Amino acid sequence: MPSQKERMLSGKLYRAADTEIRAVNFRARRLTRLFNQTTEEQMAYRQTLLKELFLKTGSEIYIEQPFHIDYGQHTTIGEHFYANYDCIFIDTAPITIGNDFYLALRVGLYTAGHPIDAAIRNEDLEYGYPITIGDSVWIGANVVVNPGVTIGSNVVIGSGSVVTKAIPDNVVAAGNPCRVIRPITKEDQDFWAKQKADYVADPDVH
């Protein structure tokens, strides 16, 4: 018979009060508490705590305080990761994030859910579906990503969005529910290439 943790990670109903699950949650709470209490003079220690907290990370990871996560062991992060203040990861199911990833303020990645049927929900049965996000993604402030969502690569999610369904590659998406607004085009690339060229040419920034 599968354990409660195995049921949780496979998307089946489970009970979060299980001893094994609580132990993993306790570990994550301890590590995030230690992380959130570090000072600006403890950058190396912050990195050590984050490397211990997550299942896997790239070499370059930066998270502003405070940060909260349920388990940590169920989250994989790629290279060049940045998360701004007050982000929350509920990694009941796996969260997988690619490279070159930016999270704005108060973004929530929520894999957990509760049954719609009240009688079953009241028995403290829960479930989780994974969240998968590709490379080169920027998620704006106060975005919620719901259980089971996949977001492609080279995507911008507008602030305040509630992402309930898959978002394809190479688009700007926003809204509640979040939907594709437009593709990211050659004109976008040309515009921002010019902005960068102006920056590089400005003697005052060097």
Side-chain angles (χ1 to χ4, degrees):
M1 295 292 291
S3 67
Q4 293 293 318
K5 183 180 177 182
E6 289 170 337
R7 293 186 63 87
M8 176 177 75
L9 292 172
S10 64
K12 298 177 180 179
L13 289 178
Y14 74 98
R15 295 188 188 278
D18 173 72
T19 301
E20 181 184 14
I21 293 173
R22 282 189 177 275
V24 180
N25 176 250
F26 180 85
R27 172 187 174 277
R29 286 175 180 269
R30 180 181 64 83
L31 290 170
T32 52
R33 172 179 53 80
L34 292 172
F35 170 79
N36 287 328
Q37 291 176 346
T38 58
T39 69
E40 293 73 17
E41 291 78 24
Q42 296 177 294
M43 299 304 292
Y45 182 43
R46 287 183 183 179
Q47 289 293 301
T48 297
L49 290 170
L50 292 175
K51 295 286 187 179
E52 185 178 352
L53 174 63
F54 294 110
L55 176 63
K56 182 180 179 182
T57 75
S59 58
E60 189 177 350
I61 176 172
Y62 191 92
I63 297 177
E64 300 282 5
Q65 301 156 302
F67 173 73
H68 301 283
I69 191 167
D70 261 7
Y71 301 104
Q73 290 183 352
H74 310 153
T75 295
T76 301
I77 292 172
E79 294 286 349
H80 193 211
F81 175 93
Y82 174 81
N84 215 320
Y85 308 107
D86 254 351
C87 289
I88 301 173
F89 290 9
I90 304 299
D91 57 343
T92 294
I95 295 175
T96 305
I97 296 170
N99 301 321
D100 301 307
F101 185 73
Y102 294 86
L103 281 180
L105 305 161
R106 301 185 180 92
V107 172
L109 306 182
Y110 304 145
T111 70
H114 300 271
I116 291 176
D117 183 277
I120 296 175
R121 183 172 64 244
N122 293 343
E123 295 179 31
D124 295 328
L125 288 168
E126 307 175 20
Y127 66 90
Y129 299 146
I131 291 173
T132 303
I133 303 173
D135 298 329
S136 300
V137 173
W138 170 29
I139 297 182
N142 295 298
V143 168
V144 170
V145 180
N146 278 355
V149 164
T150 296
I151 297 173
S153 295
N154 191 30
V155 170
V156 175
I157 304 292
S159 59
S161 298
V162 179
V163 189
T164 61
K165 295 181 179 179
I167 302 295
D169 296 343
N170 305 309
V171 297
V172 176
N176 182 7
C178 188
R179 65 194 184 283
V180 173
I181 304 299
R182 65 176 181 85
I184 295 174
T185 65
K186 180 66 163 55
E187 287 74 17
D188 293 311
Q189 295 170 348
D190 292 344
F191 174 83
W192 290 105
K194 183 179 183 305
Q195 301 306 306
K196 179 184 175 182
D198 290 346
Y199 172 82
V200 171
D202 187 343
D204 293 331
V205 301
H206 300 292

